[in-house]
Amino acid sequence: MRFIHSYECTLCGAVYPADSSFFTCPACGEKGILEIRYDYERMKSIVNADYFRASKEFSMWRYLPLMSIRGTDIGETLRVGWTPLYRTQRLGQTLQIDRLFVKDEGCNPTASLKDRASAVACLHAREMGRPILACASTGNAASSLAGNAARLGLKSVIFVPKRAPLGKLTQMMLFGATVISVDGDYKDAFRLSREAIAKYGWYNRNAAINPHLVEGKKTVALEIAEQLGFHAPDWVAVSVGDGCTVAGVYKGFYDFWKLGLIEKIPKILGVQSSGCAPFVEAAAERRGLREAAENTIADSISVGIPRNPVKVLRAVTASKGAWIAVSDADILEAMRLLGRTEGIFGEPAGVAPVAGVQAARIAGWIKKEETVVAVMTGNGLKDPANGQKAAGSPVVMKPDLATFVHWMDQHDKEVCL
């Protein structure tokens, strides 16, 4: 927080003081999302190679000096961050990429990357004296808010579309959230949350509105860079709904680049489902965003009206990245492939980046010798119904050895492959 220089509106460019308490530009309204700007020259005196060599804090709070909150209560939070960055073995061979990594965000406390944003939201709400937080979510932001709020003794009110997966609903209910299942899609849930937050004065955890949450999400990029020895990869693949995660990934690499800790910002591959691909369609047709259908199994990125378009479009463009869409069939195949080659179970939106990397490799965008990171954003147990679709059904037989031997005689090659 001590290094915030100012807040800048992504629409009109207006600049506001570092002590501003509003989340969006007063002149532009809700669409005037703010970007937090830092004084990197001052920050360099603290955040440098020596700082990281000395730090024994292996969680997202390792990066507190690069963030926008005071963080006085970080010792009370769930342990978020410093998730594994696996160098793949068989998956890289299958996709013909020499250095392919998977960042497994399913290892966070509520099993998704969204814990990074929610931990920041809960601490910031405490700092502002706001005991109730609210958001709209297709699932992961909701369950992460509920869990992180419960840990800090805060209350959460959550609006989800009726299609939210059972695994995520179970989480948020178990964590004691007030859950409103909206008879509609994500845009209906978002609209109701916005109106309720305005009426009751709750803390707004909607990541597309609240600029502090990008500062939490960016820690995934800071970790990737540090886990690769402060060598930025050539590509980072990220699934895209509202666009906040892409904005965070870019901001993290940008911060380290400005501090001189990495030599470049990687190209960002924005991945959407072909059943809900407003960014991909806009890029392909070289036009502005239009509302898209929300027709995909990847519920976490099923966002027909993205709420953070300016930041995400700037991020992909500034990184010299690309957009790609993959089908639900591609996503299910990526779930199987990631599970069977690397032992990592991802939900549909979580593995969409793997499907995107595969498609980009086939298209020739990604080269064999490049270093690539796929950010796996959520654990597969979040959505067991689609996990079962990808995995298939077990073999059912009577408890009889002769029956098993007969089955093995017919399937031995499949079992041993």
Side-chain angles (χ1 to χ4, degrees):
M1 184 176 188
R2 54 187 156 169
F3 296 116
I4 293 179
H5 176 270
S6 58
Y7 294 80
E8 182 179 326
C9 176
T10 54
L11 282 187
C12 71
V15 177
Y16 299 98
D19 60 355
S20 300
S21 59
F22 41 80
F23 290 166
T24 57
C25 175
C28 297
E30 187 180 280
K31 292 184 178 181
I33 299 168
L34 300 180
E35 184 78 74
I36 298 174
R37 302 298 186 189
Y38 292 97
D39 185 336
Y40 293 106
E41 290 305 311
R42 287 182 54 234
M43 190 183 285
K44 284 178 182 178
S45 65
I46 299 293
V47 185
N48 48 43
D50 289 339
Y51 168 83
F52 290 108
R53 278 193 290 267
S55 177
K56 300 296 190 292
E57 175 60 64
F58 291 101
S59 74
M60 68 180 287
W61 305 126
R62 182 178 183 84
Y63 307 104
L64 184 62
L66 293 95
M67 299 170 75
S68 59
I69 58 172
R70 291 195 296 271
T72 51
D73 295 332
I74 59 173
E76 298 180 38
T77 66
L78 295 170
R79 187 191 177 282
V80 180
W82 205 252
T83 56
L85 179 69
Y86 295 112
R87 181 170 182 175
T88 66
Q89 300 175 88
R90 283 157 293 280
L91 180 63
Q93 294 170 7
T94 301
L95 302 189
Q96 298 183 39
I97 299 173
D98 293 339
R99 287 174 54 81
L100 173 62
F101 295 81
V102 174
K103 180 66 167 166
D104 188 359
E105 288 294 285
C107 293
N108 279 312
T110 74
S112 86
L113 183 148
K114 301 295 178 68
D115 280 328
R116 296 178 185 271
S118 290
V120 168
C122 290
L123 286 180
H124 193 229
R126 256 196 181 187
E127 291 172 7
M128 296 180 72
R130 310 276 281 279
I132 302 175
L133 300 88
C135 74
S137 169
T138 54
N140 280 334
S143 55
S144 72
L145 172 58
N148 283 276
R151 172 68 180 171
L152 291 175
L154 302 169
K155 300 295 183 182
S156 57
V157 182
I158 293 160
F159 301 84
V160 296
K162 63 182 179 182
R163 60 174 164 78
L166 180 61
K168 298 174 186 181
L169 282 171
T170 302
Q171 275 188 302
M172 57 188 93
M173 295 293 293
L174 187 67
F175 294 143
T178 298
V179 179
I180 309 300
S181 180
V182 178
D183 187 12
D185 57 17
Y186 175 68
K187 63 178 175 290
D188 296 317
F190 188 93
R191 183 175 62 252
L192 182 57
S193 77
R194 179 181 59 203
E195 293 168 354
I197 288 167
K199 179 174 177 58
Y200 294 102
W202 298 326
Y203 183 92
N204 192 338
R205 187 254 176 255
N206 286 316
I209 301 297
N210 187 333
H212 298 278
L213 304 196
V214 166
E215 303 304 303
K217 288 190 173 188
K218 77 180 183 184
T219 59
V220 70
L222 302 175
E223 285 178 19
I224 290 169
E226 189 176 359
Q227 288 168 329
L228 290 175
F230 293 101
H231 294 292
D234 297 296
W235 287 89
V236 177
V238 187
S239 54
V240 183
D242 262 326
C244 306
T245 300
V246 166
V249 167
Y250 178 79
K251 184 73 176 295
F253 286 117
Y254 178 83
D255 284 354
F256 265 7
W257 178 69
K258 289 290 287 184
L259 291 168
L261 290 168
I262 57 174
E263 72 285 359
K264 66 180 180 182
I265 296 172
K267 290 173 280 191
I268 295 175
L269 182 67
V271 185
Q272 295 200 288
S273 165
S274 55
C276 186
F279 286 110
V280 177
E281 291 166 3
E285 298 173 16
R286 297 185 180 183
R287 58 162 172 80
L289 283 180
R290 297 175 187 163
E291 182 177 351
E294 297 181 358
N295 185 25
T296 173
I297 61 171
D299 67 281
S300 294
I301 55 172
S302 188
V303 179
I305 305 178
R307 306 289 171 173
N308 203 346
V310 176
K311 284 186 183 181
V312 66
L313 289 169
R314 285 182 182 175
V316 174
T317 299
S319 73
K320 298 181 174 59
W323 290 99
I324 200 162
V326 293
S327 69
D328 281 358
D330 294 333
I331 289 171
L332 288 172
E333 176 55 33
M335 291 176 72
R336 285 188 289 270
L337 187 61
L338 183 60
R340 294 174 186 183
T341 59
E342 303 298 334
I344 299 172
F345 184 18
E347 66 168 321
V351 305
V354 174
V357 167
Q358 184 172 26
R361 178 72 184 98
I362 291 169
W365 301 353
I366 292 175
K367 309 303 181 185
K368 184 176 187 292
E369 66 277 9
E370 290 184 307
T371 299
V372 181
V373 176
V375 181
M376 206 290 293
T377 52
N379 188 277
L381 290 175
K382 293 278 196 170
D383 189 352
N386 280 308
Q388 188 173 37
K389 287 180 185 177
S393 301
V395 177
V396 178
M397 68 175 64
K398 295 180 180 179
D400 175 74
L401 181 60
T403 302
F404 177 71
V405 170
H406 176 71
W407 182 86
M408 281 292 290
D409 288 343
Q410 294 177 313
H411 299 86
D412 181 53
K413 290 184 178 179
E414 297 173 23
V415 173
C416 295
L417 283 177

